[in-house]
Amino acid sequence: MCWVFWSSTWRARGVGVQSRFIVGCVAGLLAIQASLLTYSARVHSPTWDEVGHLAAGISHWEFGRFELYSVNPPLLRTIAAAPVVAWFEPKMDWNFYRSDPAIRSEVFLGRRMMELNGEDSLDFFFAARLAVIPVALLGGLVCFLWSSELFGTGCGLLAQTLWTFSPNVLAYGSVITPDLASAVALLVCCYIFWRWMRDSSWGNGLALGVSMAVAVLVKSVWLLLPLLLAGLWFLALLYRRFAHRGSALARAEVQRQAGQLVAAGMAAILLVNVFYGFRGTLKPLGQFQFHSRVLAGPPECEDCGPAPGNLFESSLLAGVPVPLPENLVQGIDIQERDFERGFTEPAWRSYLFGEWKFGGWWYYYLVGLAVKVPIVFWVFAAASTIAGFAGKLCPDVKLAALCLWGPSLIFLVVVSMHTGMSRYVRYALPVLPALLVWGSGVGVLLSRQSKWANGFVAAGCLWLVVGVLGTGPHWLSYFNEFAGGTRGGSRLLCDSNIDWGQDLTYLKEWLDENPEAATDLRLAYFGSFDPKDIGIEYELPAPLYPQSEGSDATAQYFSGPRPGWYAISVNYVLGHLMPVPDGQGRFLFQSQPVFEYFSQFEPVARLGGSIFVYHLRDHEVNEFRVARGMVPIVSASDDGAVGMTSGGQQQMAMLLTELKDGDDGRQESAMHESLR
């Protein structure tokens, strides 16, 4: 799509801010992405995590405290909540507020917020989402700048094009969670670090410190950045000394850079504490109450379960003051506890290739990126790598690759080591900017303006744009062609990779167009609030528990499928065990996948990529029930038996006869009276 913009400027070097043409291209891409993100923000319902994030963000403005949702630092949700607090007057029930971050009271506050504000809450989320869209736009701009300085202006526009039409950027760029912001924060920090490596002025050093502070305030994992960047700096010194002896730095320059790095790290820690208001800063390590096994120590016995504790309270480190806000430290502990829950708790199991298991897979994020990232990104990155090995990339660019790829790959290794919970490919999004910027180097192959190379890149861009826009605005459920697209994705991954509760508004619209379904709807919605809060009336589908010996006919009869209309979130079809709203203001926890039986039926509609609509008829329901030895819900003489096999009709008649004989027909009569 943007081929006409950058083909004629391919040989140009630098950002080219003087060129109105280049500025127009950059502005046009920003406008396109802003429009796509705004539309996505408007049409999608709040995702599972967003409800708690917004409630927590409002609490930050209301009380100036950060206990809620402490597993993630507060910067992004504070920004997101600003327009909600300024323009609306959300009704909140602060009786649910608990200062203990382990309780996760933001979940209950968010549900109560949705209940009190009803459909008006959708406007809250739209305003909050608009506030975070500039973060995604910043990512595209930095991709353009970095690629332009590495490869040329044309490559910079290619990098921005890839970012603009990246389905993962479009999916997470308009939700108020820190996943994409974490990737952008790392990109900005690495870009500034690279510029500092080229010009180690105190101004660039200060910018580096600020960027590291922002990164930590978005995602606590970036506390690793000061040490990580210091390690990369040391490797760069070795590279210059041994690979390019003529470019080795003088000792005085090395000492000056080392001092700037230390100053930048200290400035970052200071700014983080300033944002938190120095709450709990310098608290001795031995005085914390931790909940993860890593920090609290193992429980006294395997069946005791986790208990608060402190592994350091009796050690020499007990009196060491921690130079970080207390809430940030506690949030890291709670996040680690959540990872550990994947080894023991059924609701936190991991899913890959159709398999549920306790603990995850070290290669989970590699597989996730392979199927959730467009194929053209991988093709361009491979071609750019070939160009580098072929000697088309100068030594400076090869050195820059260390700054670009080093932090991303180390992060990927760290997150892959946490196999307790392999569920969210969004955790690996910080790898995406490096892939796009490096992939844009494919433009170096066009240095000779050969027709095949021009066509290769143009075809790749066209493939990307058509494919991504064709799946929009359902980018959360995007899977590439290698995975079989959105429909094939559920065979590989689940949870927020495909179903995060984002399509409830599509169900609402569908029900308006299908009133016969709206009057008799059974819904199992994967979300953190009750759909009745935004005007959807429903009942919970009957669960289907594994049959056990001695289970009576009545229990069998009232479980499993019945004729009628159903809307089921794909996560429950796949066997997810997260709690489900029941339409009465409650959330029910299931110890077994009680809605997985819908995988045996064919949906009549797919809303977005995450909600399947079923219209179950009498005959297909009874075929299912009889095949499993369950009590059918109609007699063999009813019209509902039409379409069943003769063997199925005979088995159904035998089961009904057994039911009548067992209780003089009274159970059967009562059951049929209960039919809708």
Side-chain angles (χ1 to χ4, degrees), residues 279-566:
R279 290 181 178 271
T281 302
L282 300 180
K283 181 176 180 177
L285 181 59
Q287 295 183 13
F288 283 90
Q289 283 293 302
F290 295 124
H291 297 79
S292 65
R293 292 193 177 195
V294 171
L295 298 175
E300 295 181 0
C301 62
E302 286 299 324
D303 298 330
C304 296
N310 190 316
L311 195 63
F312 310 97
E313 62 182 351
S314 299
S315 70
L316 296 176
L317 299 176
V320 175
V322 179
L324 295 170
E326 178 182 6
N327 182 251
L328 180 61
V329 177
Q330 290 177 324
I332 295 172
D333 171 60
I334 300 301
Q335 180 71 85
E336 184 63 33
R337 181 199 65 175
D338 289 347
F339 281 118
E340 294 170 353
R341 294 170 75 176
F343 290 108
T344 57
E345 299 184 26
W348 292 78
R349 294 178 303 166
S350 301
Y351 178 90
L352 182 65
F353 295 135
E355 176 189 0
W356 289 96
K357 63 175 289 190
F358 290 102
W361 301 263
W362 66 266
Y363 51 83
Y364 176 85
Y365 295 103
L366 296 177
V367 173
L369 289 171
V371 299
K372 291 285 288 181
V373 171
I375 295 175
V376 69
F377 289 6
W378 299 111
V379 173
F380 281 3
S384 184
T385 302
I386 293 172
F389 280 109
K392 290 182 176 291
L393 302 182
C394 65
D396 288 341
V397 173
K398 295 177 182 178
L399 179 61
L402 182 66
C403 302
L404 181 65
W405 277 109
S408 298
L409 293 181
I410 293 174
F411 165 78
L412 184 61
V413 170
V414 170
V415 74
S416 296
M417 290 171 59
H418 286 74
T419 59
M421 187 174 60
S422 299
R423 288 168 64 168
Y424 313 124
V425 176
R426 55 191 169 89
Y427 282 2
L429 282 182
V431 178
L432 187 63
L435 182 67
L436 300 189
V437 173
W438 183 254
S440 68
V442 68
V444 175
L445 295 175
L446 299 183
S447 57
R448 297 181 180 179
Q449 294 292 316
S450 59
K451 291 183 179 180
W452 73 266
N454 291 338
F456 171 72
V457 177
C461 290
L462 182 62
W463 180 14
L464 171 68
V465 173
V466 172
V468 170
L469 293 183
T471 59
H474 311 299
W475 295 296
L476 270 171
S477 303
Y478 172 87
F479 285 81
N480 62 28
E481 295 83 355
F482 177 75
T486 300
R487 294 205 172 195
S490 60
R491 295 180 293 105
L492 308 174
L493 304 170
C494 75
D495 213 285
S496 62
N497 304 303
I498 188 170
D499 177 10
W500 214 8
Q502 72 273 14
D503 292 321
L504 193 61
T505 49
Y506 283 90
L507 174 61
K508 198 174 189 317
E509 293 178 1
W510 187 88
L511 291 173
D512 291 339
E513 299 170 359
N514 297 270
E516 72 280 6
T519 58
D520 185 29
L521 178 68
R522 298 167 183 86
L523 169 64
Y525 169 63
F526 185 83
S528 55
F529 66 96
D530 199 320
K532 73 179 181 60
D533 296 335
I534 63 170
I536 298 178
E537 297 296 330
Y538 69 99
E539 294 181 3
L540 196 64
L544 178 59
Y545 294 96
Q547 296 185 50
S548 59
E549 287 189 37
S551 59
D552 58 40
T554 303
Q556 288 187 30
Y557 187 85
F558 286 104
S559 67
R562 308 175 69 82
W565 288 94
Y566 295 83

Side-chain angles (χ1 to χ4, degrees), residues 629-651:
M630 298 174 62
V631 177
I633 54 98
V634 293
S635 69
S637 60
D638 287 342
D639 293 339
V642 176
M644 295 178 62
T645 64
S646 59
Q649 293 181 21
Q650 293 175 6
Q651 186 176 3

Side-chain angles (χ1 to χ4, degrees), residues 86-135:
W87 300 338
F88 304 95
E89 295 182 359
K91 301 173 185 176
M92 303 295 295
D93 186 353
W94 298 116
N95 291 321
F96 285 86
Y97 193 108
R98 298 294 183 274
S99 59
D100 184 354
I103 297 177
R104 303 298 299 271
S105 61
E106 66 272 1
V107 176
F108 306 100
L109 273 168
R111 291 175 186 170
R112 183 63 173 153
M113 176 187 69
M114 297 294 297
E115 182 181 0
L116 291 173
N117 295 278
E119 293 189 58
D120 290 342
S121 59
L122 298 180
D123 293 330
F124 302 167
F125 284 95
F126 180 55
R129 288 169 168 178
L130 292 180
V132 302
I133 286 177
V135 176

Side-chain angles (χ1 to χ4, degrees), residues 556-563 617-619 621-622 625-626 630-636 638 640 652 656 668 671-676:
Q556 288 187 30
Y557 187 85
F558 286 104
S559 67
R562 308 175 69 82
R617 310 283 185 174
D618 290 359
H619 67 276
V621 166
N622 283 314
R625 299 174 70 91
V626 169
M630 298 174 62
V631 177
I633 54 98
V634 293
S635 69
D638 287 342
M652 184 174 72
L656 285 172
E668 181 201 5
M671 293 175 191
H672 281 280
E673 288 178 2
S674 70
L675 289 176
R676 295 183 178 275

